[in-house]
């Protein structure tokens, strides 16, 4: 196999694209984006389909998404207080990537699962 050596700076921390895969590839961001695709939602509404997420982790995810400009947090001056989260145009642009990932998964998930089974069976035979 003869090919070019890898660029040592390909994952340079100052590269503008470096932080992007972390945000869209984490466990919860894509799920939040999908929950917000039809409009603003309250925190408690987001928890319904995302029952496995803790309030602390959902809060951290929403804050990170707000920091990155993916969602807008709106606090309504009511009693009791009401807070809603809504996708920004930047956050909405992630729907294209999420749709592509979901499509890839539909097409390739059986092969991926078979590769895992084969690997795990092989690893079990190699174990002492």
């Amino acid at each position: 196999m003869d090919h070019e050596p890898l660029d040592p700076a390909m994952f340079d921390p100052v590269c503008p694209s470096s932080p992007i895969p972390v945000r869209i590839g984490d466990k919860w961001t894509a799920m939040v984006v999908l929950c917000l695709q039809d409009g603003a939602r309250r925190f408690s509404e987001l928890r319904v389909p995302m029952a496995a997420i803790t309030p602390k982790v959902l809060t951290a995810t929403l804050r990170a998404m707000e920091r990155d400009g993916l969602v807008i947090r709106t606090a309504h001056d009511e009693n009791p207080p009401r807070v809603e989260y809504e996708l920004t145009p930047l956050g909405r642009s992630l729907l294209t990537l999420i749709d592509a990932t979901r499509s890839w998964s539909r097409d390739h998930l059986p092969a991926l699962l078979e590769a895992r089974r084969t690997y795990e069976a092989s690893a079990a035979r190699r174990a002492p």
Side-chain angles (χ1 to χ4, degrees):
M1 222 187 293
D2 206 20
H3 42 74
E4 295 291 319
L6 292 173
D7 179 0
M10 71 188 284
F11 299 116
D12 186 346
V14 297
C15 173
S17 67
S18 293
I20 294 170
V22 173
R23 177 62 33 226
I24 64 171
D26 74 15
K27 185 173 182 175
W28 302 109
T29 297
M31 291 181 199
V32 171
V33 169
L34 290 171
C35 289
L36 296 176
Q37 70 182 335
D38 292 328
R41 301 280 183 174
R42 295 179 74 169
F43 186 90
S44 59
E45 290 179 281
L46 296 172
R47 296 265 343 266
V48 172
M50 298 172 57
I53 192 171
T54 65
K56 179 180 178 180
V57 172
L58 180 55
T59 297
T61 300
L62 289 165
R63 283 184 183 155
M65 291 176 72
E66 184 180 12
R67 181 198 68 220
D68 290 348
L70 302 175
V71 298
I72 294 172
R73 178 185 184 273
T74 303
H76 299 276
D77 189 19
E78 299 174 355
N79 192 5
R82 180 171 56 100
V83 176
E84 292 181 323
Y85 297 89
E86 185 174 8
L87 290 175
T88 64
L90 184 62
R92 189 161 290 288
S93 72
L94 291 176
L95 288 165
T96 303
L97 295 172
I98 293 167
D99 287 344
T101 302
R102 292 170 100 186
S103 177
W104 184 92
S105 295
R106 276 190 299 276
D107 294 343
H108 300 288
L109 188 60
L112 184 140
L113 295 174
E114 180 56 33
R116 284 183 182 174
R117 282 190 290 275
T118 301
Y119 177 86
E120 288 167 2
S122 173
R125 287 192 298 273
R126 290 189 307 251

